[in-house]
Amino acid sequence: MIRKATRSIQKTSHFHVMVKPIGAICNLDCTYCYYLEKEHLYPEGEPFRMPWKVLQSFIRQYSAAHKHLPEIHFAWQGGEPTLLGLDFFERAVALQRKYQPAGCRVTNSIQTNGVLLDDAWGRFLKEQGFLVGISIDGSPDLHDRYRVDKGGRPTFDRVARGLEILQRHKVEYNVLTCVHRHNGDHPLEVYRFLKSLGARFIQFIPVVGRASPTSSAATSISVGAEQYGRFLTSVFDEWFYNDVGQVFVQTFDVALGIWALGQASLCVFDETCGRALALEHNGDLYSCDHFVDPAHRLGNINETPLLALLEDPRQQAFGRAKGETLPRFCRECEVLEMCSGGCPKDRILQTPDGESGLNYLCAGYKRFFTHCRPAMARLAALRKARQPAGQLMQLIQAEEVKARPRIGRNDPCPCGSGRKYKKCCLVS
Ligand code: SF4
Ligand code: SF4
């Protein structure tokens, strides 16, 4: 595969800001959430609600920065952004219209736990064309393990009601599933359950928490690296043989994009960082959603223009560091072009020869990218040849089925779970 030459991060055109208009405030208390603690970056009594002046300033500057592009995308996150109420977003949409550059389409996405969604939200999200990301970690027993409210109570039923609102109002949505130690051993159960809910766009996010700020160990609820690799490969096989063109799994789409176009559409697998920033409620801009800390605070958009902060040498250095700090073990890795060493926040291990900076998920990435490579190469070739994917997929699937070794129902499952094939990946 030929990967495009390293992209410059000087271009101000392609950057995204994840907006956190309510900071870290949330109505739930998910055990693995990395953002709740960010509340303590601000003084006690801080009103965590983006003031109108900051909202206006951001929308004006962000719109102007994208005026030469066909689309401006606003991504709202938290904490839980729906806690702000509908009126906040009605005002945001009105401001977007006010500052919308001619010929430029405005789109919005919002990430929510779904608990507060009701018909009024459903109508608004549909009318305004929002794409909604809703967090569901699998069936109730898997979901409720860590996704609990402030009283430690389960949330699945409330989230399912939120999903039903989205479906009833025909709001576009995708499901975001955190993969952790508990649901990580149940890839097909999770995937099939999400499909049974009607999900057609799915994102799997590996939970990796560091045991302490300098530790090379992960928290006990983090997904294991091998476990994550098994999870992705199991779902990939199920998807490839049954769901290509019907269900969209972000990691697979990204992998195909790298194969077909030499471009990673997800920063985690891109060669550089620095184009996905995070904006806190008061206008503070940070290098990335995963680096919201004093060392990565670039400034405040009320005091310094957004574009100046984006071009700040510290942010440029942050972006380049991803590639520049890759250990030799990664630079010589045969799946480097797919993986790019993963997200710097997860680079907490040492390589076998003692160099620091190896990704905690390395074993899983290696397993997944090696496993999907033949299928990706073929899909990429089809895409390049502009062949009708559906027809050709049928041919590929038929060939693959023929080529598959015969596996008995009672044999160990080839996905490596350790369970019998019939109890694991066998599709009846
Ligand atoms: S630090 Fe991780 S999440 Fe942030 S831009 Fe880089 S790869 Fe993406
Ligand atoms: S698979 Fe491992 S060694 Fe290879 S690039 Fe990714 S993190 Fe580095």
Side-chain angles (χ1 to χ4, degrees):
M1 176 184 54
I2 298 167
R3 186 81 182 266
K4 273 195 178 169
T6 305
R7 285 175 288 289
S8 159
I9 65 163
Q10 301 298 325
K11 292 180 293 177
T12 49
S13 52
H14 296 102
F15 75 100
H16 305 277
V17 175
M18 194 178 279
V19 192
K20 292 166 177 292
I22 196 164
I25 304 302
C26 188
N27 47 348
L28 300 191
D29 202 7
C30 301
T31 320
Y32 51 64
C33 181
Y34 64 94
Y35 211 80
L36 290 174
E37 66 182 41
K38 305 299 178 189
E39 181 181 345
H40 304 302
L41 288 173
Y42 295 93
E44 210 168 305
E46 173 84 3
F48 284 97
R49 183 182 179 95
M50 184 173 274
W52 190 83
K53 209 176 128 223
V54 178
L55 181 67
Q56 182 189 38
S57 171
F58 170 68
I59 291 177
R60 180 176 51 74
Q61 296 190 56
Y62 193 63
S63 300
H66 288 82
K67 66 177 184 233
H68 52 297
L69 292 177
E71 180 179 314
I72 310 173
H73 183 73
F74 290 84
W76 307 94
Q77 264 217 5
E80 175 49 45
T82 60
L83 281 170
L84 287 164
L86 258 181
D87 61 324
F88 178 90
F89 289 94
E90 285 166 349
R91 272 202 244 168
V93 166
L95 284 169
Q96 289 172 346
R97 281 204 200 96
K98 180 173 173 188
Y99 293 110
Q100 181 173 7
C104 200
R105 200 166 78 96
V106 172
T107 56
N108 285 280
S109 63
I110 184 168
Q111 183 62 39
T112 176
N113 57 42
V115 166
L116 292 178
L117 297 178
D118 60 13
D119 282 318
W121 272 105
R123 276 191 294 276
F124 170 81
L125 294 167
K126 177 64 184 171
E127 278 166 20
Q128 299 302 331
F130 272 56
L131 169 66
V132 178
I134 184 164
S135 301
I136 304 175
D137 284 358
S139 54
D141 58 319
L142 296 174
H143 175 93
D144 288 335
R145 180 69 171 242
Y146 299 128
R147 297 197 66 83
V148 292
D149 67 13
K150 298 288 185 201
R153 289 174 293 263
T155 59
F156 182 86
D157 292 345
R158 285 174 274 171
V159 176
R161 275 198 295 278
L163 177 63
E164 194 266 322
I165 292 276
L166 297 177
Q167 291 171 332
R168 180 141 39 89
H169 288 273
K170 300 191 171 14
V171 176
E172 248 190 277
Y173 69 92
N174 58 41
V175 171
L176 186 151
T177 300
C178 288
V179 183
H180 44 69
R181 186 72 65 170
H182 187 57
N183 66 1
D185 279 337
H186 306 277
L188 296 185
E189 182 185 334
V190 170
Y191 178 66
R192 290 172 186 167
F193 181 78
L194 298 178
K195 281 202 300 176
S196 76
L197 291 177
R200 292 298 172 262
F201 295 87
I202 300 170
Q203 292 179 36
F204 292 119
I205 308 290
V207 171
V208 180
R210 205 166 182 170
S212 74
T214 52
S215 170
S216 60
T219 54
S220 60
I221 63 173
S222 299
V223 67
E226 292 279 5
Q227 186 186 29
Y228 188 54
R230 282 197 303 275
F231 186 98
L232 288 180
T233 52
S234 300
V235 176
F236 181 81
D237 287 348
E238 169 104 343
W239 170 81
F240 186 74
Y241 290 111
N242 302 283
D243 299 329
V244 169
Q246 308 293 320
V247 179
F248 299 87
V249 178
Q250 186 193 43
T251 311
F252 307 159
D253 269 3
V254 173
L256 181 57
I258 297 172
W259 267 103
L261 308 169
Q263 282 185 350
S265 55
L266 185 69
C267 60
V268 171
F269 302 124
D270 206 349
E271 294 162 357
T272 56
C273 294
R275 315 303 300 178
L277 299 95
L279 184 75
E280 260 290 341
H281 66 291
N282 65 346
D284 284 350
L285 190 73
Y286 293 88
S287 293
C288 162
D289 174 44
H290 284 289
F291 286 86
V292 173
D293 56 47
H296 293 90
R297 179 183 173 276
L298 296 166
N300 188 292
I301 62 161
N302 299 312
E303 293 152 10
T304 313
L306 176 64
L307 284 183
L309 294 175
L310 180 71
E311 285 160 12
D312 187 304
R314 288 172 298 158
Q315 183 65 359
Q316 303 286 307
F318 173 80
R320 285 191 307 271
K322 185 179 187 189
E324 289 171 355
T325 59
L326 266 182
R328 199 169 85 177
F329 191 70
C330 286
R331 293 197 308 274
E332 293 175 354
C333 172
E334 57 177 20
V335 299
L336 174 65
E337 289 186 323
M338 308 286 287
C339 172
S340 289
C343 176
K345 87 165 172 72
D346 297 333
R347 295 183 184 177
I348 63 177
L349 301 183
Q350 286 198 336
T351 63
D353 51 352
E355 205 179 344
S356 58
L358 181 64
N359 199 299
Y360 166 82
L361 293 169
C362 172
Y365 285 150
K366 212 168 260 187
R367 183 182 184 120
F368 169 66
F369 285 125
T370 306
H371 178 86
C372 76
R373 190 155 39 186
M376 285 300 171
R378 296 166 80 184
L379 286 172
L382 299 181
R383 188 188 264 197
K384 204 170 165 193
R386 297 178 189 275
Q387 304 278 9
Q391 212 180 349
L392 280 155
M393 275 313 304
Q394 285 170 8
L395 289 174
I396 283 184
Q397 287 166 3
E399 270 178 43
E400 290 284 337
V401 168
K402 250 194 269 165
R404 260 198 269 183
R406 278 206 63 74
I407 305 161
R409 291 169 57 77
N410 290 313
D411 289 343
C413 186
C415 80
S417 67
R419 284 176 293 167
K420 286 184 179 175
Y421 184 43
K422 69 180 179 192
K423 299 260 184 206
C424 192
C425 297
L426 177 63
V427 185
S428 49

